[in-house]
Amino acid sequence: MPVLLFVIYVVAEIAAIATVAHFIGPLWTVLLLIAGSAIGIVVVRAQGRRVMDGFRRASRGEGSPGGAMADGALVALGAALMFVPGLVTSVLGLLLLAPPTRAVLRPVVVAITARRFAAVAAAASAAAASGGAVVVDGEVVEQWYEPDFLAKPQPAVTSRQVNETIHIDEQRY
């Protein structure tokens, strides 16, 4: 499946570049690609600052933490798309960096994240309730404690103490 998506991406980028080059010419197409990257860098910096301000407001309790996280994820995805070469990815990246587009996508991202988080939390609580923790029995043969980096290691627990502790635990159960 990933190979198919990559092939679709490459075909879409080549078709977009060929179409744009046919209409405006190859030199203008290259200049458009360069200008798109330059504009993308400026927009990524500005929107990155805006997202950091949103994080600060959310940490002070003035805004929604979920909205700030969604904005951060959308800006990160848009920035990643801006640095992938091509017209299609640049347009998608600029759309994700635009505040109106993010305002439309923010509730969707928050809902998807909340649903996934609820599923993960339910699975974790079910595993904990069913005793899903794995306990490996073992015995500490020798343990060293180094109070100083240059000091000679001294045993903190002897094997006799460990065996006595294990023996006491066996009597208790």
Side-chain angles (χ1 to χ4, degrees), residues 40-154:
I41 290 171
V42 172
V43 173
V44 165
R45 291 179 89 189
Q47 294 307 311
R49 286 189 201 110
R50 181 179 255 187
V51 165
M52 291 308 293
D53 289 340
F55 285 147
R56 284 187 205 101
R57 282 193 309 274
S59 69
R60 290 188 304 252
E62 298 172 1
S64 166
M69 291 298 292
D71 269 352
L74 290 171
V75 167
L77 181 60
L81 288 173
M82 286 305 301
F83 292 111
V84 174
L87 289 174
V88 175
T89 54
S90 293
V91 168
L92 289 175
L94 284 173
L95 283 174
L96 288 176
L97 290 171
T101 308
R102 284 200 323 266
V104 170
L105 293 176
R106 186 180 308 121
V108 175
V109 172
V110 169
I112 290 171
T113 305
R115 191 174 341 139
R116 286 195 178 213
F117 181 75
V120 169
S125 66
S130 68
V134 177
V135 178
V136 179
D137 291 330
E139 179 179 336
V140 177
V141 177
E142 196 168 24
Q143 182 176 350
W144 296 92
Y145 171 71
E146 294 184 40
D148 188 21
F149 180 75
L150 300 175
K152 182 177 177 184
Q154 299 295 322

